[in-house]
Amino acid sequence: MNALVKRVWFALAATLIVSLAAVALPDRIQIDDEGRIHLGAPAPTPFLSTAAPTPESTSPPLTREDVDEVIRTAVSAAGLDPAQGRPTVAAGANSNRTGWMAVREKPAAQSEMKAICADLERRGWVLNPNGDSADASRSYERGGWYLLVSTRGKTQAPSNALSDSQTYLTMTGLQVNLSDIPLPEITIRMR
């Protein structure tokens, strides 16, 4: 009986891990309707249970300075002065990360986030359709960079940093090249 319980827990844990990975990397991990998991190169036949991966952006690679300028421009397009906030990564500290944040009143932060997102979309940033919340966060991709625009509240900040009516408005940029991560094609059948 103890061995059976261990097998069940292992199967549940493996399913959860693979399911989360499939959401994060839909072009690298796929689960078909029969429970088979494919890692690495896409399987030769399409699966009904997974959404087709979005094509990679063909825009030229961006530098950190380019992304810093995109952030300043988008913040300005939302009617904010970029100097009202602060950078989340020091200039020159890391060439593949950048960001900006400001403390805002909650109702204003929602409309400012929408204005920032609209500006990014006008400038050719591609919206990630998976896992975003229109009112809390949206992520975009372009030129090898990912930008997350979010309003995050008091629960993720020190208790004395924000009043009940305030939240953080943040833009976080991260340069990630998932094609540099080699994954062999592996098929696992779970029953």
Side-chain angles (χ1 to χ4, degrees), residues 51-91:
T54 57
E56 278 194 36
S57 173
T58 57
S59 58
L62 298 174
T63 64
R64 173 172 171 184
E65 292 76 24
D66 295 334
V67 177
D68 285 338
E69 182 59 30
V70 166
I71 290 172
R72 282 190 293 276
T73 303
V75 167
S76 296
L80 296 169
D81 178 2
Q84 288 178 326
R86 64 177 177 84
T88 57
V89 178

Short mmCIF file of all heavy atoms in Angstrom, two decimals, residues 51-91:
data_model
loop_
_atom_site.label_atom_id
_atom_site.label_comp_id
_atom_site.label_asym_id
_atom_site.label_seq_id
_atom_site.Cartn_x
_atom_site.Cartn_y
_atom_site.Cartn_z
N ALA A 51 -2.43 24.63 -27.37
CA ALA A 51 -2.57 25.72 -28.31
C ALA A 51 -1.32 25.78 -29.19
O ALA A 51 -0.23 25.44 -28.75
CB ALA A 51 -2.73 27.04 -27.56
N ALA A 52 -1.50 26.21 -30.41
CA ALA A 52 -0.35 26.34 -31.30
C ALA A 52 0.55 27.44 -30.76
O ALA A 52 0.08 28.50 -30.33
CB ALA A 52 -0.83 26.69 -32.70
N PRO A 53 1.87 27.21 -30.75
CA PRO A 53 2.77 28.24 -30.25
C PRO A 53 2.72 29.46 -31.17
O PRO A 53 2.56 29.33 -32.38
CB PRO A 53 4.14 27.58 -30.27
CG PRO A 53 4.01 26.39 -31.14
CD PRO A 53 2.57 26.01 -31.17
N THR A 54 2.86 30.62 -30.58
CA THR A 54 2.88 31.83 -31.37
C THR A 54 4.22 31.92 -32.08
O THR A 54 5.25 31.54 -31.52
CB THR A 54 2.67 33.08 -30.48
OG1 THR A 54 3.69 33.08 -29.49
CG2 THR A 54 1.31 33.08 -29.85
N PRO A 55 4.23 32.39 -33.31
CA PRO A 55 5.50 32.49 -34.02
C PRO A 55 6.42 33.49 -33.34
O PRO A 55 5.96 34.48 -32.77
CB PRO A 55 5.10 32.98 -35.41
CG PRO A 55 3.75 33.58 -35.25
CD PRO A 55 3.11 32.91 -34.08
N GLU A 56 7.73 33.20 -33.40
CA GLU A 56 8.69 34.11 -32.78
C GLU A 56 8.70 35.42 -33.54
O GLU A 56 8.54 35.46 -34.75
CB GLU A 56 10.08 33.49 -32.79
CG GLU A 56 10.30 32.54 -31.66
CD GLU A 56 11.76 32.21 -31.49
OE1 GLU A 56 12.62 33.08 -31.69
OE2 GLU A 56 12.03 31.06 -31.16
N SER A 57 8.92 36.47 -32.82
CA SER A 57 8.98 37.78 -33.42
C SER A 57 10.18 37.87 -34.36
O SER A 57 11.24 37.33 -34.08
CB SER A 57 9.10 38.83 -32.31
OG SER A 57 9.32 40.10 -32.88
N THR A 58 9.98 38.55 -35.47
CA THR A 58 11.08 38.70 -36.42
C THR A 58 11.71 40.08 -36.30
O THR A 58 12.51 40.46 -37.14
CB THR A 58 10.56 38.50 -37.86
OG1 THR A 58 9.51 39.44 -38.09
CG2 THR A 58 10.07 37.09 -38.07
N SER A 59 11.39 40.81 -35.25
CA SER A 59 11.97 42.13 -35.09
C SER A 59 13.45 42.00 -34.73
O SER A 59 13.87 41.02 -34.13
CB SER A 59 11.22 42.94 -34.04
OG SER A 59 11.23 42.27 -32.82
N PRO A 60 14.25 42.99 -35.12
CA PRO A 60 15.69 42.90 -34.85
C PRO A 60 15.96 42.92 -33.34
O PRO A 60 15.15 43.43 -32.56
CB PRO A 60 16.26 44.16 -35.52
CG PRO A 60 15.10 45.07 -35.71
CD PRO A 60 13.87 44.22 -35.78
N PRO A 61 17.09 42.34 -32.93
CA PRO A 61 17.42 42.31 -31.50
C PRO A 61 17.50 43.72 -30.91
O PRO A 61 17.96 44.65 -31.58
CB PRO A 61 18.79 41.63 -31.46
CG PRO A 61 18.96 40.97 -32.77
CD PRO A 61 18.10 41.71 -33.75
N LEU A 62 17.05 43.85 -29.69
CA LEU A 62 17.10 45.13 -28.99
C LEU A 62 18.22 45.10 -27.95
O LEU A 62 18.53 44.06 -27.40
CB LEU A 62 15.77 45.40 -28.29
CG LEU A 62 14.53 45.52 -29.17
CD1 LEU A 62 13.28 45.63 -28.32
CD2 LEU A 62 14.65 46.71 -30.10
N THR A 63 18.77 46.26 -27.67
CA THR A 63 19.76 46.39 -26.60
C THR A 63 19.04 46.83 -25.33
O THR A 63 17.87 47.23 -25.38
CB THR A 63 20.83 47.44 -26.95
OG1 THR A 63 20.18 48.72 -27.04
CG2 THR A 63 21.52 47.10 -28.26
N ARG A 64 19.74 46.78 -24.22
CA ARG A 64 19.13 47.25 -22.97
C ARG A 64 18.78 48.73 -23.08
O ARG A 64 17.74 49.16 -22.59
CB ARG A 64 20.08 47.03 -21.80
CG ARG A 64 19.47 47.68 -20.57
CD ARG A 64 20.12 47.44 -19.33
NE ARG A 64 19.50 48.32 -18.33
CZ ARG A 64 19.91 48.41 -17.12
NH1 ARG A 64 20.89 47.67 -16.71
NH2 ARG A 64 19.32 49.23 -16.28
N GLU A 65 19.62 49.52 -23.73
CA GLU A 65 19.33 50.95 -23.90
C GLU A 65 18.06 51.16 -24.70
O GLU A 65 17.27 52.06 -24.40
CB GLU A 65 20.52 51.66 -24.58
CG GLU A 65 21.77 51.75 -23.73
CD GLU A 65 22.55 50.43 -23.64
OE1 GLU A 65 22.43 49.55 -24.54
OE2 GLU A 65 23.26 50.26 -22.63
N ASP A 66 17.85 50.32 -25.73
CA ASP A 66 16.61 50.39 -26.51
C ASP A 66 15.39 50.13 -25.61
O ASP A 66 14.38 50.83 -25.69
CB ASP A 66 16.60 49.35 -27.64
CG ASP A 66 17.66 49.60 -28.69
OD1 ASP A 66 18.09 50.76 -28.86
OD2 ASP A 66 18.07 48.61 -29.35
N VAL A 67 15.49 49.11 -24.77
CA VAL A 67 14.37 48.74 -23.90
C VAL A 67 14.15 49.82 -22.84
O VAL A 67 13.01 50.15 -22.51
CB VAL A 67 14.59 47.35 -23.27
CG1 VAL A 67 13.47 47.00 -22.31
CG2 VAL A 67 14.70 46.29 -24.36
N ASP A 68 15.24 50.41 -22.31
CA ASP A 68 15.09 51.52 -21.37
C ASP A 68 14.32 52.67 -22.02
O ASP A 68 13.45 53.28 -21.39
CB ASP A 68 16.46 52.01 -20.89
CG ASP A 68 17.10 51.08 -19.87
OD1 ASP A 68 16.37 50.30 -19.22
OD2 ASP A 68 18.34 51.14 -19.72
N GLU A 69 14.62 52.95 -23.28
CA GLU A 69 13.92 54.02 -24.00
C GLU A 69 12.46 53.65 -24.23
O GLU A 69 11.57 54.49 -24.11
CB GLU A 69 14.62 54.32 -25.33
CG GLU A 69 13.98 55.45 -26.11
CD GLU A 69 13.94 56.78 -25.36
OE1 GLU A 69 14.83 57.04 -24.53
OE2 GLU A 69 13.00 57.57 -25.60
N VAL A 70 12.18 52.38 -24.54
CA VAL A 70 10.79 51.92 -24.71
C VAL A 70 10.02 52.13 -23.41
O VAL A 70 8.88 52.60 -23.42
CB VAL A 70 10.76 50.43 -25.13
CG1 VAL A 70 9.38 49.83 -24.97
CG2 VAL A 70 11.25 50.27 -26.56
N ILE A 71 10.64 51.80 -22.28
CA ILE A 71 9.99 51.96 -20.98
C ILE A 71 9.70 53.44 -20.73
O ILE A 71 8.58 53.81 -20.35
CB ILE A 71 10.83 51.34 -19.85
CG1 ILE A 71 10.82 49.81 -19.98
CG2 ILE A 71 10.34 51.79 -18.48
CD1 ILE A 71 11.77 49.10 -19.03
N ARG A 72 10.70 54.30 -20.93
CA ARG A 72 10.48 55.75 -20.71
C ARG A 72 9.36 56.28 -21.61
O ARG A 72 8.50 57.04 -21.15
CB ARG A 72 11.77 56.53 -20.97
CG ARG A 72 12.79 56.45 -19.86
CD ARG A 72 13.94 57.43 -20.07
NE ARG A 72 14.76 57.10 -21.22
CZ ARG A 72 15.77 56.23 -21.21
NH1 ARG A 72 16.08 55.61 -20.09
NH2 ARG A 72 16.46 56.00 -22.30
N THR A 73 9.36 55.87 -22.87
CA THR A 73 8.34 56.34 -23.82
C THR A 73 6.95 55.85 -23.43
O THR A 73 5.98 56.62 -23.46
CB THR A 73 8.70 55.87 -25.24
OG1 THR A 73 10.00 56.34 -25.56
CG2 THR A 73 7.71 56.39 -26.25
N ALA A 74 6.83 54.59 -23.04
CA ALA A 74 5.53 54.03 -22.66
C ALA A 74 5.00 54.69 -21.38
O ALA A 74 3.81 54.97 -21.28
CB ALA A 74 5.63 52.52 -22.48
N VAL A 75 5.89 54.92 -20.43
CA VAL A 75 5.48 55.60 -19.19
C VAL A 75 5.00 57.01 -19.51
O VAL A 75 3.98 57.47 -18.99
CB VAL A 75 6.64 55.59 -18.16
CG1 VAL A 75 6.37 56.53 -17.00
CG2 VAL A 75 6.88 54.17 -17.65
N SER A 76 5.73 57.71 -20.39
CA SER A 76 5.31 59.06 -20.79
C SER A 76 3.98 59.03 -21.53
O SER A 76 3.15 59.93 -21.35
CB SER A 76 6.39 59.69 -21.68
OG SER A 76 7.58 59.87 -20.96
N ALA A 77 3.76 58.00 -22.36
CA ALA A 77 2.50 57.88 -23.10
C ALA A 77 1.32 57.69 -22.15
O ALA A 77 0.18 58.01 -22.50
CB ALA A 77 2.57 56.71 -24.08
N ALA A 78 1.58 57.18 -20.95
CA ALA A 78 0.51 57.00 -19.95
C ALA A 78 0.29 58.27 -19.15
O ALA A 78 -0.51 58.28 -18.20
CB ALA A 78 0.86 55.85 -19.02
N GLY A 79 0.98 59.35 -19.50
CA GLY A 79 0.79 60.63 -18.82
C GLY A 79 1.63 60.76 -17.55
O GLY A 79 1.37 61.64 -16.73
N LEU A 80 2.62 59.91 -17.39
CA LEU A 80 3.49 59.96 -16.22
C LEU A 80 4.86 60.50 -16.59
O LEU A 80 5.32 60.32 -17.71
CB LEU A 80 3.66 58.57 -15.61
CG LEU A 80 2.41 57.89 -15.07
CD1 LEU A 80 2.69 56.43 -14.76
CD2 LEU A 80 1.97 58.61 -13.81
N ASP A 81 5.49 61.10 -15.63
CA ASP A 81 6.89 61.50 -15.79
C ASP A 81 7.73 60.32 -15.32
O ASP A 81 7.58 59.89 -14.17
CB ASP A 81 7.16 62.74 -14.94
CG ASP A 81 8.60 63.20 -15.01
OD1 ASP A 81 9.40 62.59 -15.75
OD2 ASP A 81 8.93 64.17 -14.31
N PRO A 82 8.61 59.77 -16.16
CA PRO A 82 9.43 58.64 -15.72
C PRO A 82 10.22 58.92 -14.44
O PRO A 82 10.52 58.01 -13.68
CB PRO A 82 10.37 58.39 -16.91
CG PRO A 82 9.63 58.92 -18.09
CD PRO A 82 8.84 60.09 -17.56
N ALA A 83 10.49 60.19 -14.18
CA ALA A 83 11.22 60.56 -12.96
C ALA A 83 10.36 60.40 -11.71
O ALA A 83 10.88 60.42 -10.59
CB ALA A 83 11.74 61.98 -13.06
N GLN A 84 9.03 60.23 -11.86
CA GLN A 84 8.15 59.99 -10.71
C GLN A 84 8.39 58.62 -10.09
O GLN A 84 8.03 58.38 -8.96
CB GLN A 84 6.68 60.09 -11.11
CG GLN A 84 6.20 61.48 -11.42
CD GLN A 84 4.74 61.46 -11.87
OE1 GLN A 84 4.28 60.53 -12.52
NE2 GLN A 84 4.02 62.52 -11.51
N GLY A 85 8.96 57.72 -10.88
CA GLY A 85 9.28 56.38 -10.39
C GLY A 85 10.76 56.23 -10.24
O GLY A 85 11.51 57.21 -10.21
N ARG A 86 11.19 54.98 -10.18
CA ARG A 86 12.63 54.74 -10.08
C ARG A 86 12.98 53.47 -10.85
O ARG A 86 12.15 52.57 -10.99
CB ARG A 86 13.05 54.60 -8.63
CG ARG A 86 12.46 53.42 -7.91
CD ARG A 86 12.99 53.32 -6.48
NE ARG A 86 12.38 52.24 -5.76
CZ ARG A 86 12.78 50.97 -5.81
NH1 ARG A 86 13.80 50.65 -6.54
NH2 ARG A 86 12.15 50.04 -5.12
N PRO A 87 14.21 53.41 -11.36
CA PRO A 87 14.64 52.18 -12.05
C PRO A 87 14.73 51.03 -11.05
O PRO A 87 15.04 51.24 -9.88
CB PRO A 87 16.02 52.52 -12.60
CG PRO A 87 16.24 53.96 -12.35
CD PRO A 87 15.23 54.44 -11.38
N THR A 88 14.45 49.82 -11.51
CA THR A 88 14.56 48.66 -10.63
C THR A 88 15.90 47.97 -10.78
O THR A 88 16.25 47.13 -9.96
CB THR A 88 13.44 47.65 -10.92
OG1 THR A 88 13.49 47.27 -12.30
CG2 THR A 88 12.08 48.25 -10.59
N VAL A 89 16.66 48.30 -11.82
CA VAL A 89 18.00 47.77 -12.03
C VAL A 89 18.88 48.96 -12.37
O VAL A 89 18.54 49.76 -13.24
CB VAL A 89 18.03 46.74 -13.18
CG1 VAL A 89 19.44 46.22 -13.42
CG2 VAL A 89 17.09 45.58 -12.89
N ALA A 90 20.00 49.11 -11.68
CA ALA A 90 20.89 50.24 -11.92
C ALA A 90 21.43 50.21 -13.34
O ALA A 90 21.71 49.14 -13.89
CB ALA A 90 22.04 50.21 -10.92
N ALA A 91 21.59 51.39 -13.94
CA ALA A 91 22.12 51.48 -15.30
C ALA A 91 23.51 50.85 -15.34
O ALA A 91 24.34 51.10 -14.48
CB ALA A 91 22.18 52.94 -15.73
#
